[in-house]
Amino acid sequence: MMMEKERTRGVATKAVIIGNPNSGSAGDEGYLERFAEALRTGGIEVEVLNTERPDHATELAALAGDKLVIAAGGDGTVNEVVNGLSGGATLGILPLGTANVLARELGLPMNPEEACARILTGTAFRMDVGVATDEEGTERRFACMAGVGFDADVVREVGPRLKRYLRSLAFPLAALKVYLQGDQPDLQIVDGDTTYVTQFAVVANGRYYGGEFEMAEGVSLGSGELEVVLIEKVGLLMRPDVLARILAKSPLDRAMKSFTSRKNIVAKSPAARGARVPVQIDGEVWGRLPMSFRIEPAALNVIR
């Protein structure tokens, strides 16, 4: 378990804050400098870097080297930072987004001022990360989850503008729209010699999904394995009871099929329709099937 892993107290003396100015609860102009000043008061030399385009946070994190790299934004910003970190870097999080899934998984305060204090006083430990690989061999890390099928369609439907204006209402409304469209293609999830057929799958590195919604229960950020949750369909539509729980942000019925694995998990769909099945990584659409997923144990140093 995560808490049983070796942890070391102490924070680097140099840090960068990488911030998304368009994040859900970013605040007014100059907000990142105020957080930086709080960290400077705690003895850290801090540089603030604003993102200007998609994947810019990944580039900035890669240039930071082995410093403390603080992702200030939502789950998309955190994911971009995670994909640029060097092996010797440490991740800190200022949760400024809508869902803040990794921050919740880590037990961090949702208030950014309190999160600054946690960066100064918290402990660092090595967490697992998931890795998705597409058909061309391109890889992308994920901190919390990858969603295949339905929820990736929902994420694509929402878009950054709708999320910014409707905030927490954006995803339930988009989910209802995608659900009523129906006709989601079957998926094949392959774990070693076993193949599962489903309509919507979540490959989870932790418990939470979309905020405080508990999707998985068999894994943690330090368990060394992934949990795959399979949501089946009724007729042409996904199970309506599952949709109701998603809209209400209630824990899913554990009678649903799920399994944990340390193997390479493959997701695919029938050739004629698989080309249109998207995949979301930590809340952002990234590629289409076929795709594989694996776990990298203790791959990332993070402040908790």
Side-chain angles (χ1 to χ4, degrees), residues 27-280:
D28 59 328
E29 186 177 355
Y31 73 104
L32 288 183
E33 274 297 336
R34 292 202 303 274
F35 299 144
E37 191 57 36
L39 294 172
R40 292 180 186 120
T41 301
I44 303 177
E45 182 182 329
V46 183
E47 180 183 6
V48 175
L49 303 172
N50 283 307
T51 58
E52 300 174 354
R53 57 185 180 276
D55 294 320
H56 193 196
T58 300
E59 300 171 20
L60 296 175
L63 293 173
D66 293 345
K67 296 178 182 178
L68 169 63
V69 182
I70 301 167
D75 294 308
T77 300
V78 173
N79 179 270
E80 287 192 18
V81 169
V82 165
N83 276 280
L85 290 178
S86 72
T90 297
L91 174 67
I93 299 174
L94 289 178
L96 302 173
T98 302
N100 302 308
V101 178
L102 181 58
R104 295 179 192 278
E105 197 75 43
L106 292 166
L108 298 177
M110 292 298 104
N111 178 284
E113 285 79 10
E114 294 176 6
C116 281
R118 181 67 65 86
I119 289 171
L120 293 171
T121 63
T123 54
F125 73 98
R126 304 293 300 187
M127 64 169 272
D128 305 338
V129 296
V131 180
T133 307
D134 67 12
E135 194 171 20
E136 286 72 42
T138 304
E139 294 186 343
R140 189 166 189 90
R141 284 175 153 189
F142 57 94
C144 296
M145 99 296 286
V148 183
F150 175 80
D151 73 333
D153 279 323
V154 172
V155 169
R156 183 172 57 187
E157 185 71 30
V158 169
R161 183 177 179 183
L162 188 63
K163 182 164 46 173
R164 185 163 59 252
Y165 285 106
L166 295 182
R167 295 181 59 76
S168 61
L169 290 176
F171 287 97
L173 291 175
L176 182 60
K177 178 179 179 180
V178 173
Y179 173 77
L180 292 175
Q181 290 172 345
D183 197 24
Q184 292 282 318
D186 284 341
L187 309 175
Q188 295 175 337
I189 309 296
V190 183
D191 178 47
D193 296 329
T194 304
T195 298
Y196 303 87
V197 177
T198 188
Q199 192 175 46
F200 164 25
V202 174
V203 182
N205 186 38
R207 295 174 299 157
Y208 292 124
Y209 169 91
E212 295 180 307
F213 179 54
E214 292 188 28
M215 172 69 80
E217 63 177 13
V219 292
S220 71
L221 294 176
S223 62
E225 56 189 0
L226 296 170
E227 180 171 2
V228 182
V229 181
L230 308 171
I231 296 91
E232 298 171 339
K233 66 180 181 180
V234 173
L236 293 177
L237 296 176
M238 184 181 69
R239 286 174 47 178
D241 59 315
V242 172
L243 177 71
R245 287 176 177 271
I246 290 174
L247 295 180
K249 295 188 176 181
S250 301
L252 287 184
D253 180 0
R254 298 315 301 169
M256 289 190 312
K257 292 180 181 177
S258 67
F259 63 91
T260 58
S261 179
R262 298 173 185 266
K263 302 174 183 176
N264 200 50
I265 299 160
V266 177
K268 55 187 179 179
S269 189
R273 306 172 75 188
R276 66 182 181 91
V277 178
V279 177
Q280 64 91 357

